[in-house]
Structures are given as C-alpha cells and as structure tokens.
Amino acid sequence: MYIYDEYDQRIVEDRAKQFRDQVRRYLAGEFSEAEFLPLRLQNGLYIQRYAPMLRIAVPYGVLSSERLRKLAHIARHYDKGFAHITTRQNIHFNWPNLEDVPDILEELASVQMHAIQTSGNCIRNTTTDQFAGVAADELIDPRPWCEIVRQWSTFHPEFAFLPRKFKIAINGAEEDRAVIGIHDIGLNAVRNEAGELGFQVLVGGGLGRTPMVGAEIRSFLPWPHLLTYLEAILRVYNRYGRRDNKFKARIKILVKALTPEVFAEKVEAEWQNLKDGSATLTEAELQRVSKYFVSPELESFAGDDAGYLDKRSSDNGFNNWATRNVQAHRAPGYAAVTLSLKQTSIAPGDISAEQLDAAAELADQYSLGEIRSTHYQNLVLPYVRQQDLYELWQKCRELGFATPNIGLLTDIICCPGGDFCSLANAKSIPIAESIQAQFDDLDYLYDIGDMELNISGCMNACGHHHVGHIGILGVDKKGEEFYQVSLGGKSGRDAAIGKILGPSFAAIQMPTVVQKLIDVYVENRTPEERFIDTYERIGMAPFKERVYAADN
Amino acid sequence: MQQIIKGNQVVPDTWEMLAKDASLEQLTNSGDIIVPLAMWLEHAHALKARDGRLGVWLDADEEAESIADDLEHFAVIALNFPVFSDGRSYSNARLLRDRYQYQGELRSIGDVLRDQLFFMHRCGFDAYALREDHDPHAALASLNDFSEVYQAATDQPLPLFRRR
Ligand code: SF4
C-alpha cells in the first residue's frame, strides 16, 4: 500500500484546512450556494434528498485495517452507523452534518485518506482491478500507475474545472476487471515487440445518457510519456469539450463529434509540445512508487492446501462459498477472498460500523492487514492462506459476509437510487431486494450460474446498468417510478452496451420479469452457456416474447 | 477605481477594460486600455499607433493561438472567466506562458473568486480582478492555500517527483 511521505501528508492536511475555512465562510454567509457548490463537490460533499452525502476516496480500492477502523469510527460518530461501498470503489456516508465535515476530513487525513475530487467536474478517483497484485493473469501491477496518476491529477491546476467529470481506469491483467472501456480514459498495460512496457489508450467510453465503449487513440504509449500524454488529452478536452449542455459535455461526445482519428490527431499535436518535458516519468519515480506495492512476504507452499481441499469435498456449504467467493491467487497455497455485501434485505454495498471493524479484524488476522473495495460493491481480502479459509468462512458467516453469491444473479450492482440520491428517477435498492428475494434458492442460483445484473436509479448510470447482462434503469413516467430493462450488456475486455428490451415495467413486476428472462435462458441454454452466451446466440426476440406475452 | 490583486498585493487598477462591442472611435490617444480580441485583430495598426499602453482580453472561447505572434505589443493580457466553473482560461494561460513565453501581466477577469486563485496562480496568472462583491484583501490568503503541489505547472517547472 502506498504510504504518504511528508509531502503527501501536507497536501491532504492543507486541503482539510482549506475546506474548514470554506465551510466557515459558507456558514457565515460569505458564499452563495452556487459558489459553494463546486467547492463542496470537489470535496465529495453532496446535498442529497434527506441529508448531505459525503463521498470518500478509496484510491483504486486499496484499504487497510487501520483505514477500515477509522471509517467505522466515522460511521458511528458522524453517521447513523453505516457506510456504503460505491460502484467506483469509493465510500459514501449518507448522514453527516455539514458542520462536521471538516472534522471528518481531518480524521481521514490522519489515516492518509481524503475526499479530494470525489465529485465535481474534475479528474476523479482512478480505478482498477480489485485483484491487482495478486491476480494470476496479471501482466503488470496497475497500482503504482494508479498512484502516479492520482498524484498527477490531485489539484491539477489546469483541470479543476473541466466541462464534466472525468474518470480514468487502468488495467494490468489479461482479463479486464477494471472495465476500462467505459471510462473517459482507459489505460491498458501492454508490451511492445521489444518487451518494453507501455499503455494502449482508449478514450471516450462512458455510460450515462449516451453509453459508449471507448475508442483506441494510441495502441502503444511508452510508459515514461504517460503523464504528458494524459495532459495533452485533458488539455484538448478542457479547451474543446462542450460546455453549453451538461448532457453533451463528457469527452465521449467530443471524441464522437470529431471522430476518434481527428481527436487523436489533436492530442498528438498537443502532445508534441509537452512530450519529453519535465512531467516525463522517470525510472526513479516508478521505482519509488512501485516499492510500496511489492508483494508482502508470503509463506511458501508447494501447492493447494490438502486440508482445504478436504473440507471442500466434505462440507457442501463451504464448497459453495469457496467456489464463488474465493479467487485464485498467484502464490501457491494462497487465495483472495471476496466478502459479499450482497445479503438479501440489505442494500447492496451497505456495511455497518460493526462490520467495518470486524472486516478490519479479519484483514489483520488473515490478510496481512490489507483489504480492497470493488466496483461490484464488495470487499476483498487479498492475501489469505488456503489453510485459513475454513475458519475464515465460519467467521464470515457470523458477520454476514459469507453469502456465497459472487458473480451470481444476486450479486447485484446497485446505485443508491431514490432512497438517497436526489437525481434519481426511481428507487433502485428495493428492486435489488425484491429480485434477491425471488432468487433465494441457492441451488437454483448456482444452476443459473454467472450473471451480472445491474441497477441504476436514473440515466447517470452509477449502477452500470448498460453493461449488465441484465440491466435495469429507473425511469420516470408521468411522475411514477418505472423500470426499463436491457439485455446483452457486458463488462470486461469485450465490453458492450445492452439493448433495451421494450416498454418499461412497474416495480412490482420486476421479480417476475427477471424470472421470465431466466426461464427463457434455462430452457434454451446448452450445457456450457452462460446467460449472456445464450442471449447472444438466440437474440432478443425469445426473451421479449416471453416477457410481453399476454398474461400467462 | 477597482482594486486588483497584482503579485501579492492589492493595488488600484489603472487600466480601462473595453467591452466586446466597444468601437475604435471611442478611444482616446492616451490612457491604458485593454481591448477585446476582435478589436485587436481588426485594428492592430491603429491600436499600435496610440500613445497609451495596450492590453488585450480573450474570452473563454477565444484561443491563445490567435495572439501568439503579437505578444510583444501587450503589457497586459486578460483572460475572462464568464463563470468561475468554466476552466478554459486556465489552458489559455498556460499556453501563453509556457508555449509562447509571454512575460507581461496575465490577469484573470470576470467571475474571479478567491477559491480559484491558487489554481490561477499555478497556471501563470499574476494579477486577479476579483468579482466586485469580493474583497481582494481577504482573498490574498487563498494564494497560499497549499504549501506543496504534485504537478509541474507554470509556477513550478518541476513536478514533485523530480524534487522529492
Ligand atoms: S444512477 Fe442516478 S439515481 Fe443512481 S446514484 Fe447515480 S445519479 Fe443517483
């Protein structure tokens, strides 16, 4: 994990101080609400339906037991005892008082955390693979690069007021768990023929009103040029991105209007002026940052732990959990474990203060103190010995972390929606709950197999509904909450945007609608097909027919 | 007379800003004026012939490139922020300073508020005409909001990673 030195520490402390003064001036009436808005947003502070909401940055999802305990403390002391993991690996508190936020920021700074640029029209938290550094299919560890980008983007003076928010994701593995194709910039680590490291650069991906997968503007950018090239992209966007219409202000609209080729030329021209400048990365800096991410000393095991394998064959419940929630590790005898925050009847991604403390305990005991947040709104323990898995599972069961549903239909990605978010058209959490309740039979769930079901409460698509195999979007129909369903979305390397099934449904219909979609899949699938495969083979029509058939 | 921040001080502003629709006929021969870009592009010759000093101002949608060859004629270049959340003038500022080596006064005008001064300074501004309802004396403090920065920019040619 990256550890702040005095410089990093000073910057977050200065920020906390600055915001304390801004809040003071706001409360003293020196600001209009409109002037305060971008200042508080750049500190992650929203004024929501019922209360302010504070979004805390979890840079590329890396947490520690110490940080979790601090978050637990904040949840208890400044909130109603809960925190929420977002679809961008960050943390929300839904009930802080504005007056308390400076104190919260100060508390966060004490564990090297902050809320910098978690909202507003600026460069947001850079995200990556939740299995970074432990995944077996990794080409490079993306975390040092994320940290380098984090530092470059933090208070970048030229790009604090972009046309719209800006998200960067970095992938370093074979599989793309960071979903770089749906980000404003997606960076994919690649090696050229000489074996040198660089990045494939995608630009203009994003969900929202005009969902798009990013276009490649450079197939190989040698790594020393990463920051100067990013600077060139951002400058072109800052100057030429649309500012007259909020819905057309994302970089994807500019890229589309110019065409990716012309956009790439503009970036290239700008870059020629910046290239080889002082922002060119050095081997020394890469080393400095990388040393914080060197894999910790792990015990050496010859292979899989025999006791673990035994338990898997003798205990069915454990085996289920191990099948879904335990991921392969590059070190023999180790595993990465996902703590599911997708228990039925609890909002996806919600975690109580007690659970935060307990997760910190688990991290200390089983995972060298490290823990990750994922864009699927779960937590991951990255360094667990296989021999500890059985014990860990039993503890997870007591703590509500053991729902063995990772990657299954009930592992729903879901935004806060109308229960909290003031932009929502409709509630999303109750829809997730009703679907989870409909599919509460574990054997059945396993039989359905790999499935991504994503729910957003409005077009902003925080719940990534476009890239769900089944996507659900809250829409407003004459003041009533309805839900539009799309099929065929995909995240990962072959990311695709789902297609709309047809007219929308009332909330109460949703579990049945999903049930019918699953029925069609189960009836038509070949033994090795996942839902998405069957859909791609047989197309939309059979699903549509079933769902809209006159009452049956 | 409006007060502006210049360097680290509040000083009276001695320049006259001309609106976009100002016409050449209104101008006197002496006096320091800041003219809109369009006027400069159209009447450069006449403007250069005046006795008073000359500045030009660019709106957020106007490009630094359009005056890149003329910089020697300006004692002041002002960049407008139509609303503080429109960040285009930050890029224009950096281009004028870093790419075209403009050395004269670079002034922010328009919706200029204290909480943006730090960023403006980093992008090469050295003068700030705060929005009239804002107190420039109080705003001075915000020029020092941060004691350290990560990126190279106009005020600091080396990124932190080359200094730490
Ligand atoms: S998708 Fe819409 S409703 Fe859901 S959190 Fe985002 S803005 Fe709010």
Side-chain angles (χ1 to χ4, degrees):
Chain A
M1 192 172 87
Y2 184 75
I3 309 285
Y4 285 6
D5 64 10
E6 57 185 298
Y7 299 108
D8 305 295
Q9 189 65 33
R10 198 160 358 122
I11 289 170
V12 296
E13 283 174 10
D14 284 352
R15 167 55 131 208
K17 240 184 283 158
Q18 180 197 39
F19 193 60
R20 186 179 292 283
D21 188 55
Q22 289 169 345
V23 170
R24 180 191 62 74
R25 285 186 276 138
Y26 174 66
L27 294 174
E30 291 178 30
F31 278 129
S32 69
E33 174 53 31
E35 287 162 24
F36 186 51
L37 179 97
L39 302 179
R40 65 172 166 73
L41 284 185
Q42 300 215 344
N43 266 300
L45 186 63
Y46 288 79
I47 305 298
Q48 288 291 27
R49 242 168 224 213
Y50 306 109
M53 186 268 284
L54 180 65
R55 181 180 299 147
I56 289 166
V58 181
Y60 40 96
V62 174
L63 286 162
S64 64
S65 52
E66 186 198 22
R67 289 179 180 177
L68 278 191
R69 289 197 179 94
K70 180 59 83 178
L71 294 169
H73 165 75
I74 292 171
R76 230 176 251 124
H77 202 79
Y78 300 98
D79 197 277
K80 296 186 177 176
F82 275 90
H84 174 80
I85 314 280
T86 78
T87 57
R88 301 201 67 256
Q89 301 181 290
N90 289 325
I91 305 254
H92 278 174
F93 287 111
N94 281 315
W95 307 98
N97 289 318
L98 171 63
E99 294 79 356
D100 290 335
V101 172
D103 291 338
I104 299 176
L105 294 185
E106 213 172 285
E107 298 240 21
L108 288 170
S110 74
V111 293
Q112 313 197 338
M113 293 184 79
H114 56 76
I116 294 165
Q117 291 168 211
T118 52
S119 183
N121 295 335
C122 50
I123 305 173
R124 305 286 190 87
N125 184 22
T126 299
T127 52
T128 191
D129 185 356
Q130 67 268 31
F131 298 117
V134 304
D137 66 341
E138 199 163 270
L139 173 73
I140 57 141
D141 185 344
R143 292 171 300 169
W145 300 100
C146 290
E147 178 59 27
I148 285 169
V149 171
R150 181 191 77 80
Q151 297 192 11
W152 164 79
S153 61
T154 297
F155 304 130
H156 197 300
E158 191 178 339
F159 307 132
F161 294 96
L162 296 168
R164 200 77 178 84
K165 58 189 170 183
F166 203 90
K167 301 172 181 178
I168 303 176
I170 307 181
N171 175 48
E174 194 97 354
E175 208 185 305
D176 174 19
R177 284 172 292 265
V179 213
I180 62 169
I182 60 166
H183 288 78
D184 296 285
I185 295 180
L187 298 169
N188 192 30
V190 281
R191 287 196 190 278
N192 65 8
E193 276 163 19
E196 291 154 343
L197 180 69
F199 294 94
Q200 176 201 24
V201 183
L202 309 184
V203 172
L207 301 177
R209 216 162 265 254
T210 324
M212 249 177 257
V213 176
E216 178 187 292
I217 59 164
R218 199 160 232 284
S219 57
F220 185 81
L221 176 73
W223 67 263
H225 301 304
L226 180 62
L227 298 184
T228 52
Y229 195 77
L230 289 180
E231 199 131 343
I233 296 174
L234 265 298
R235 184 171 285 170
V236 170
Y237 172 54
N238 189 41
R239 302 186 77 194
Y240 302 111
R242 283 183 64 172
R243 290 174 185 266
D244 59 330
N245 180 342
K246 178 175 166 195
F247 299 116
K248 299 200 154 62
R250 293 290 288 268
I251 196 173
K252 61 190 171 186
I253 305 292
L254 177 64
V255 173
K256 195 173 165 214
L258 292 175
T259 75
E261 294 71 32
V262 173
F263 181 82
E265 281 164 26
K266 274 191 174 291
V267 170
E268 188 68 27
E270 184 60 42
W271 185 48
Q272 287 311 318
N273 292 295
L274 300 171
K275 190 169 175 258
D276 300 320
S278 71
T280 306
L281 280 166
T282 60
E283 185 66 41
E285 172 65 356
L286 179 58
Q287 291 308 325
R288 185 188 74 83
V289 177
S290 295
K291 75 169 191 280
Y292 293 107
F293 298 99
V294 171
S295 172
E297 280 294 318
L298 298 179
E299 290 168 51
S300 70
F301 298 103
D304 285 339
D305 182 72
Y308 161 64
L309 296 180
D310 277 354
K311 278 285 184 217
R312 280 193 71 160
S313 47
S314 63
D315 188 327
N316 198 33
F318 177 60
N319 188 48
N320 283 340
W321 179 76
T323 307
R324 299 310 317 190
N325 298 33
V326 174
Q327 279 76 30
H329 202 284
R330 67 161 69 136
Y334 276 84
V337 172
T338 303
L339 307 183
S340 171
L341 301 181
K342 305 294 176 67
Q343 224 178 346
T344 305
S345 85
I346 292 178
D350 267 15
I351 182 165
S352 68
E354 292 67 41
Q355 283 182 309
L356 283 165
D357 273 332
E361 216 41 54
L362 295 180
D364 276 340
Q365 206 173 345
Y366 298 106
S367 186
L368 307 171
E370 205 183 297
I371 192 157
R372 313 265 175 90
S373 54
T374 81
H375 83 266
Y376 290 99
Q377 305 175 282
N378 294 310
L379 294 173
V380 164
L381 297 174
Y383 298 106
V384 183
R385 296 183 303 189
Q386 287 180 347
Q387 64 189 44
D388 294 336
L389 285 170
Y390 194 71
E391 194 181 290
L392 173 60
W393 173 60
Q394 288 171 314
K395 291 198 179 162
C396 284
R397 288 212 294 180
E398 281 163 29
L399 296 168
F401 292 142
T403 316
N405 62 348
I406 300 307
L408 296 177
L409 192 149
T410 55
D411 185 11
I412 296 173
I413 296 183
C414 178
C415 80
D419 289 295
F420 295 102
C421 175
S422 48
L423 302 172
N425 284 327
K427 292 196 171 75
S428 51
I429 294 169
I431 302 301
E433 286 178 355
S434 69
I435 294 170
Q436 286 172 329
Q438 172 84 12
F439 293 89
D440 64 346
D441 180 296
L442 208 52
D443 291 331
Y444 182 43
L445 212 49
Y446 277 62
D447 181 57
I448 297 166
D450 287 344
M451 161 66 95
E452 299 198 2
L453 192 151
N454 300 353
I455 308 177
S456 305
C458 80
M459 253 318 181
N460 287 323
C462 302
H464 302 177
H465 65 277
H466 298 109
V467 292
H469 302 165
I470 297 177
I472 297 174
L473 165 67
V475 290
D476 179 279
K477 263 204 200 163
K478 299 194 187 107
E480 279 188 69
E481 302 191 348
F482 274 77
Y483 297 88
Q484 187 181 71
V485 174
S486 57
L487 296 182
K490 281 193 287 188
S491 56
R493 281 238 176 232
D494 50 352
I497 306 297
K499 293 204 168 54
I500 295 168
L501 181 69
S504 51
F505 306 96
I508 194 164
Q509 295 174 282
M510 286 312 296
T512 330
V513 168
V514 175
Q515 182 66 60
K516 287 178 182 170
L517 295 171
I518 297 300
D519 289 346
V520 173
Y521 157 62
V522 171
E523 289 159 24
N524 288 280
R525 66 181 168 187
T526 63
E528 63 290 338
E529 272 179 350
R530 299 170 301 162
F531 176 89
I532 184 72
D533 304 320
T534 304
Y535 166 81
E536 287 179 347
R537 180 171 53 80
I538 69 178
M540 180 75 89
F543 293 96
K544 192 166 178 159
E545 222 163 87
R546 179 75 55 95
V547 169
Y548 293 103
D551 245 306
N552 50 10
Chain B
M1 192 175 288
Q2 206 203 339
Q3 306 244 305
I4 63 164
I5 297 179
K6 177 99 198 271
N8 279 314
Q9 283 177 319
V10 177
V11 298
D13 181 18
T14 56
W15 290 78
E16 187 194 348
M17 280 275 306
L18 298 187
K20 262 192 186 165
D21 55 4
S23 69
L24 199 63
E25 290 70 52
Q26 298 171 302
L27 300 188
T28 54
N29 183 46
S30 60
D32 300 342
I33 54 170
I34 301 176
V35 304
L37 175 66
M39 184 184 281
W40 166 254
L41 294 177
E42 208 174 323
H43 304 292
H45 198 70
L47 290 169
K48 279 189 267 185
R50 290 177 67 255
D51 288 341
R53 289 189 300 162
L54 183 66
V56 67
W57 71 270
L58 269 57
D59 213 339
D61 60 354
E62 295 171 334
E63 302 190 346
E65 286 84 345
S66 55
I67 52 169
D69 297 328
D70 308 334
L71 299 180
E72 64 199 88
H73 304 294
F74 307 125
V76 172
I77 297 176
L79 301 178
N80 189 36
F81 290 82
V83 288
F84 66 91
S85 53
D86 183 334
R88 287 176 285 190
S89 292
Y90 292 102
S91 288
N92 267 344
R94 291 206 64 190
L95 291 171
L96 288 170
R97 288 289 196 215
D98 303 351
R99 188 158 307 160
Y100 304 120
Q101 312 299 324
Y102 172 67
Q103 307 286 334
E105 176 182 320
L106 189 58
R107 179 188 295 197
S108 58
I109 58 172
D111 201 19
V112 177
L113 311 176
R114 71 176 269 184
D115 292 280
Q116 282 78 55
L117 295 189
F118 184 81
F119 290 147
M120 289 178 182
H121 172 69
R122 294 219 62 207
C123 289
F125 288 99
D126 59 355
Y128 317 87
L130 268 89
R131 209 175 71 190
E132 270 166 24
D133 56 337
H134 281 243
D135 173 10
H137 294 277
L140 274 177
S142 287
L143 281 169
N144 301 313
D145 272 351
F146 292 90
S147 54
E148 190 49 87
V149 294
Y150 285 118
Q151 320 72 9
T154 309
D155 67 326
Q156 169 50 270
L158 293 179
L160 181 59
F161 69 78
R162 289 181 188 270
R163 295 181 282 118
R164 77 200 302 175

